[in-house]
Amino acid sequence: MTSSPRHPEPERSFGRDGSSGLVDASRALRARDVSRPGDADLAAAEKAADAALARLDRSRR
């Protein structure tokens, strides 16, 4: 993010946790969006769950 007279860079101060100055609303939203699983991730999880249950000789409910 670049600073300008109209939109100055917010001051980053560190809280007790040591990271509160590094995270702002836009960075938090970006991290949330990046960490969401995609369709391929969900399909791989389904396949892994089915394989694990097959090894236990159980079926999914």
Side-chain angles (χ1 to χ4, degrees):
M1 188 161 89
T2 61
S3 180
S4 70
R6 189 169 181 189
H7 301 284
E9 180 76 21
E11 182 180 332
R12 295 184 187 266
S13 60
F14 292 96
R16 288 181 153 184
D17 60 2
S19 65
S20 57
L22 299 173
V23 179
D24 60 7
S26 63
R27 288 182 177 182
L29 290 174
R30 173 75 179 137
R32 182 194 66 184
D33 291 341
V34 168
S35 66
R36 288 188 178 168
D39 292 336
D41 298 322
L42 296 174
E46 290 282 331
K47 185 177 177 182
D50 288 338
L53 290 173
R55 285 193 306 265
L56 293 172
D57 195 29
R58 296 183 183 171
S59 62
R60 293 183 89 178
R61 296 177 198 199

